[in-house]
Amino acid sequence: MEKFIAVDRKEILKYYKPIAVDTHKGIQGHALIIGGSYGKIGAVCLSSKSALKTGCGLVTAFVPKCGYEILQIGIPEVMILTDVKKKCISNINFDFQPNAIGIGPGIGQNEATQKAFLKFLKSNKIPLVIDADALNILSNNKAWFLLLPSGSILTPHPKELERLIGKWDSEQEKFEKTISFSLQYKVIIVMKGAPTHIIDGETIYKNTTGNQALATAGSGDVLTGIISSLLAQLYDAIEAAVLGVYLHGLTADIAVPKTGFQSFIASDIINHIGEAFLSLESK
Ligand SMILES: NC(=O)C1=CN([C@@H]2O[C@H](COP(=O)(O)OP(=O)(O)OC[C@H]3O[C@@H](n4cnc5c(N)ncnc54)[C@H](OP(=O)(O)O)[C@@H]3O)[C@@H](O)[C@H]2O)[C@@H](O)CC1
Ligand SMILES: Nc1ncnc2c1ncn2[C@@H]1O[C@H](COP(=O)(O)OP(=O)(O)O)[C@@H](O)[C@H]1O
Ligand SMILES: [Mg+2]
């Protein structure tokens, strides 16, 4: 039996955890963002900066070599690890234990990247947020879904969802197929759209924030960073997904009276995330 929950401020305040006075960066969570390829390093910049701007204590980005200077100069707060290859990821290698990993923004579907992703999935036990081309690679290799840690969060836009579950003839069929997929692989599916729904088995969360200003390049990459950050801060996977989607949309609702729909870009989500948190904390 399906359960339906509208995600509004009241619902969010059930999960939201203010930052403790005596916390420090070592206990605020360490998120690892894996992604990028030649020409799409911006996606990782957006994800990593969003992770930092949503309270994560430490953020490391794993990118091909061509991303090193871009990230180091663009976001000095982010630590960087690089692949051996210049233009795409070919061997995912890191020597620390992140609390959560976001993988996929800008990663591409190069043959070497696909192999590296499979090798990574075979050994990984850390909670995952999977987006963009990492999702597309999985859609082409459905057996690999069995390698995901349970509670992993997938963030498809409608085309990526179609690649994942196949075509649908009606909204009802889309929801039925997504729920079956979530139950089969024990994953949370963030069905991005207007509005975004979050599917956790038979529970459907409908987000109430956001607007058409979010229809701009990189806004999904920002969402991946936000959810990865919340997951790294030890929110439960479903809480991280629901809170992340809510905050992401709220930034656009707050910004639009100042920016208009047209001039709002993905960096404006990041610029307004502070105001989104403040509005949650206001009485
Ligand atoms: N600055 C950077 O580095 C950036 C890097 N990026 C990176 O680029 C990579 C490719 O990502 P991507 O999503 O652009 O490609 P892809 O999966 O082929 O989907 C495109 C097609 O999907 C559809 N579609 C999308 N949304 C829809 C909707 N709401 N509702 C309905 N349909 C929708 C639409 O199909 P159409 O309607 O045209 O048939 C559209 O043509 C990825 O790694 C990403 O991280 C980008 O994030 C940009 C900034
Ligand atoms: N018209 C809209 N209304 C509300 N949210 C939208 C709208 N268009 C796009 N979005 C949101 O923007 C994000 C787009 O994600 P995605 O397509 O992955 O972007 P990108 O890959 O360019 O980063 C999703 O969170 C989606 O829900
Ligand atoms: Mg995307």
Side-chain angles (χ1 to χ4, degrees):
M1 189 60 194
E2 287 160 23
K3 189 174 158 196
F4 187 85
I5 298 174
V7 180
D8 54 15
R9 188 170 186 276
K10 188 163 162 246
E11 175 69 18
I12 283 301
L13 288 175
K14 293 182 192 164
Y15 319 129
Y16 176 62
K17 293 184 278 199
I19 305 288
V21 178
D22 59 349
T23 191
H24 61 79
K25 68 181 179 204
I27 52 176
Q28 273 303 122
H30 189 166
L32 173 63
I33 304 292
I34 303 173
S37 54
Y38 186 77
K40 287 187 178 156
I41 297 299
V44 181
C45 295
L46 291 166
S47 297
S48 338
K49 190 162 182 183
S50 315
L52 277 165
K53 291 276 282 184
T54 43
C56 204
L58 297 164
V59 176
T60 299
F62 186 95
V63 289
K65 271 203 169 63
C66 67
Y68 179 74
E69 288 180 359
I70 300 167
L71 268 148
Q72 197 82 82
I73 297 167
I75 320 165
E77 295 89 346
V78 173
M79 296 176 280
I80 298 123
L81 294 171
T82 60
D83 195 89
V84 290
K85 272 197 183 284
K86 259 195 193 153
K87 295 192 174 182
C88 71
I89 288 177
S90 67
N91 185 24
I92 300 166
N93 199 4
F94 51 93
D95 60 358
F96 67 100
Q97 276 280 110
N99 301 97
I101 299 176
I103 185 163
I107 206 170
Q109 296 191 49
N110 190 288
E111 185 86 31
T113 305
Q114 302 208 24
K115 282 191 181 144
F117 185 36
L118 176 59
K119 185 171 163 235
F120 164 77
L121 289 176
K122 281 182 173 167
S123 64
N124 175 63
K125 298 205 164 32
I126 295 165
L128 291 180
V129 181
I130 304 173
D131 185 31
D133 279 323
L135 275 177
N136 295 329
I137 294 173
L138 280 170
S139 294
N140 287 329
N141 300 279
K142 295 264 175 7
W144 300 6
F145 277 108
L146 298 168
L147 300 170
L148 300 182
S150 74
S152 291
I153 301 167
L154 317 185
T155 61
H157 63 46
K159 198 81 177 179
E160 289 159 346
L161 183 67
E162 186 186 303
R163 294 172 187 133
L164 212 60
I165 63 169
K167 285 189 190 300
W168 50 83
D169 289 326
S170 64
E171 278 296 288
Q172 191 191 339
E173 194 192 356
K174 177 174 82 174
F175 277 90
E176 282 168 6
K177 285 182 137 194
T178 309
I179 288 170
S180 301
F181 197 94
S182 168
L183 289 169
Q184 183 179 0
Y185 295 108
K186 297 188 174 56
V187 291
I188 291 165
I189 304 176
V190 175
M191 296 164 78
K192 294 189 295 197
T196 290
H197 291 87
I198 299 121
I199 308 293
D200 183 14
E202 291 190 288
T203 309
I204 303 171
Y205 296 83
K206 181 183 180 184
N207 188 44
T208 59
T209 58
N211 59 61
Q212 58 269 41
L214 292 167
T216 182
S219 60
D221 303 325
V222 169
L223 180 66
T224 297
I226 295 175
I227 298 176
S228 303
S229 163
L230 297 172
L231 201 54
Q233 291 170 67
L234 306 182
Y235 278 95
D236 287 346
I238 185 61
E239 294 173 357
V242 169
L243 176 57
V245 168
Y246 180 87
L247 284 168
H248 180 261
L250 189 54
T251 63
D253 294 341
I254 291 170
V256 156
K258 294 174 272 176
T259 63
F261 294 116
Q262 290 87 344
S263 90
F264 184 94
I265 58 172
S267 295
D268 290 313
I269 305 173
I270 300 175
N271 293 338
H272 288 87
I273 200 89
E275 285 171 73
F277 277 109
L278 287 173
S279 95
L280 269 190
E281 296 203 352
S282 69
K283 293 271 172 336

